[in-house]
Amino acid sequence: MASNRIFIQAAEQISIQQPLSEIWMESPVYYGDGFVKAVNPPFRDYLAAGETRRMGNLMKRALVTTLKVLRETGTEHPDAVITGTSIGSLDYTERFLDAMTENGEEALSPTYFMQSTHNTVGSTLGIYTKTYGYNTTYSHGAMSFDLAVQDAWMQMTLGDVTTALVGGHDEMVESYFELLKKTGYVGVENMAPCGEVAMSMLMTLDDSVDHLCELAGVSICHHYSFDQLKSRVGQILEKAGLALKDVDAVLTGVNDNPSNDIYYYQMMDAVFPDLPLLRYKHLFGENYTAPALGIYAMAHCIGKGCLPSHLMDDTRPFGCDSLRNVIIVNQMKGKECSFILLRKS
């Protein structure tokens, strides 16, 4: 196996914060609990109206974040397109099913059906960027984006691809939000709002280009014990030539929902008892692909050499204003957990 170093060259987001911007680092927008739609940028600045008039918001957001990343990096055709999405084009799926009900399954427009599948985003990105190589989509709940990152990591570690466009894209509709609210996943009083996400980043093996940070390790655990998690963290750090004492902070998915946060704080006490904690969902919102915004936020913090105070978790505040090594933790109901190690290069 080749020992290739992997870098995040650029990353862009559309979320409930100002889109395609890092203004949130200085002046974030805060929302109450509930459901908040993503703030769309002016799509016409990136996409021709004739090409997108039949595209839903999810597809347009994915295209815009992708095109901006490719323009920033001067990349025309990445070697691979790897996408993580949990619920796919939910809006068009709902419209298609509504039309079936209203029209008695007759005279249906194919547009909503064609764009309702989960892999629509990845395939459209491949066609639009003329990337005809490796292209896959992961749809595995809250681990969708993490699995996409792990796939890109493995492909690049093996040297099979040199650049990979990796994205996390999910939307939300009011009816589905109400269903999730009944389960207690979102909509709990005083928790982070339920949001939407479109995040694209370019990973590269080329260390000669400007980049935000190095992606130094990825690991996903299923049905774990805390001892197993400690072992996984140790393995990631050892491969990166680091020790736990070299880690500046841990970014968690804490969202002020007690049923979610209890797993994080138990894990932090067992695996990272002395490390400062960071958080991001109170700014970007909760959804199945929110971890994409976590890696986006940390990559920019490391790349810019600053840490906004509003990312710090008051339970264990950070002692300085810059980062070198950060572990990003994502978990789902205490059954699945991922670790992503970012470091300044």
Side-chain angles (χ1 to χ4, degrees):
M1 181 178 291
S3 57
N4 296 322
R5 295 179 67 191
I6 300 167
F7 304 92
I8 298 177
Q9 191 174 354
E12 291 292 341
Q13 58 81 25
I14 295 174
S15 67
I16 64 177
Q17 293 294 325
Q18 184 71 24
L20 308 177
S21 167
E22 282 71 64
I23 291 177
W24 61 268
M25 297 184 75
E26 297 180 358
S27 304
V29 179
Y30 293 96
Y31 299 91
D33 51 23
F35 169 37
V36 182
K37 297 288 288 184
V39 181
N40 287 327
F43 292 126
R44 64 181 178 275
D45 291 350
Y46 298 87
L47 305 168
E51 295 176 317
T52 62
R53 64 189 183 92
R54 288 190 175 92
M55 289 184 182
N57 276 329
L58 182 72
M59 191 66 255
K60 287 187 283 189
R61 292 168 184 165
L63 271 173
V64 167
T65 53
T66 292
L67 292 176
K68 193 165 192 301
V69 162
L70 295 183
R71 288 180 189 178
E72 287 178 11
T73 59
T75 304
E76 292 187 8
H77 316 296
D79 296 336
V81 176
I82 307 176
T83 307
T85 179
S86 177
I87 51 182
S89 301
L90 186 61
D91 182 27
Y92 272 24
T93 300
E94 185 178 62
R95 294 189 190 193
F96 176 70
L97 294 175
D98 286 345
M100 285 184 63
T101 302
E102 293 169 3
N103 299 325
E105 301 184 18
E106 297 179 357
L108 297 175
S109 168
T111 301
Y112 293 150
F113 174 74
M114 291 166 58
Q115 294 198 41
S116 66
T117 59
H118 286 66
N119 60 1
T120 297
V121 172
S123 58
T124 303
L125 292 178
I127 294 170
Y128 211 93
T129 62
K130 295 180 173 58
T131 299
Y132 305 127
Y134 186 79
N135 191 318
T136 192
T137 297
Y138 288 89
S139 180
H140 296 72
M143 288 290 138
S144 300
F145 177 73
D146 310 70
L147 287 164
V149 173
Q150 185 183 60
D151 189 355
W153 163 265
M154 291 190 296
Q155 297 285 337
M156 301 183 80
T157 300
L158 291 168
D160 292 341
V161 301
T162 60
T163 57
L165 176 70
V166 181
H169 309 285
D170 263 321
E171 62 184 352
M172 184 59 61
V173 295
E174 192 68 39
S175 59
Y176 196 63
F177 166 73
E178 291 299 327
L179 290 175
L180 291 178
K181 185 176 179 180
K182 291 179 180 178
T183 69
Y185 177 69
V186 293
V188 175
E189 186 177 2
N190 296 323
M191 77 168 284
C194 176
E196 299 180 299
V197 53
M199 197 287 290
S200 298
M201 66 181 186
L202 187 73
M203 294 167 55
T204 180
L205 294 177
D206 188 354
D207 61 357
S208 67
V209 298
D210 292 336
H211 49 260
L212 296 172
C213 65
E214 180 181 353
L215 200 160
V218 182
S219 183
I220 298 178
C221 311
H222 302 275
H223 300 284
Y224 53 81
S225 68
F226 288 145
D227 286 339
Q228 290 172 320
L229 295 185
K230 289 180 183 179
S231 176
R232 287 293 185 94
V233 171
Q235 291 170 8
I236 294 174
L237 293 172
E238 183 179 2
K239 289 180 180 178
L242 300 172
L244 193 59
K245 63 180 178 60
D246 299 315
V247 178
D248 297 316
V250 180
L251 180 73
T252 74
V254 165
N255 63 9
D256 294 317
N257 182 345
S259 64
N260 169 77
D261 295 354
I262 186 172
Y263 294 113
Y264 280 109
Y265 286 127
Q266 287 176 347
M267 186 193 307
M268 295 306 104
D269 290 341
V271 183
F272 308 103
D274 302 316
L275 291 179
L277 303 181
L278 305 175
R279 56 190 300 177
Y280 64 98
K281 288 185 178 178
H282 63 303
L283 299 183
F284 293 102
E286 176 64 279
N287 57 68
Y288 290 119
T289 319
L293 294 170
I295 194 172
Y296 154 84
M298 286 299 97
H300 278 279
C301 287
I302 295 173
K304 295 178 185 297
C306 66
L307 176 63
S309 60
H310 43 265
L311 291 180
M312 299 179 188
D313 190 318
D314 292 338
T315 60
R316 294 191 206 163
F318 196 60
C320 61
D321 59 358
S322 64
L323 295 169
R324 292 194 60 84
N325 305 304
V326 180
I327 293 178
I328 301 172
V329 180
N330 178 39
Q331 66 82 31
M332 185 169 66
K333 298 180 180 179
K335 297 178 181 178
E336 295 180 280
C337 176
S338 72
F339 298 111
I340 296 176
L341 174 62
L342 302 184
R343 70 178 175 186
K344 190 174 183 66
S345 56

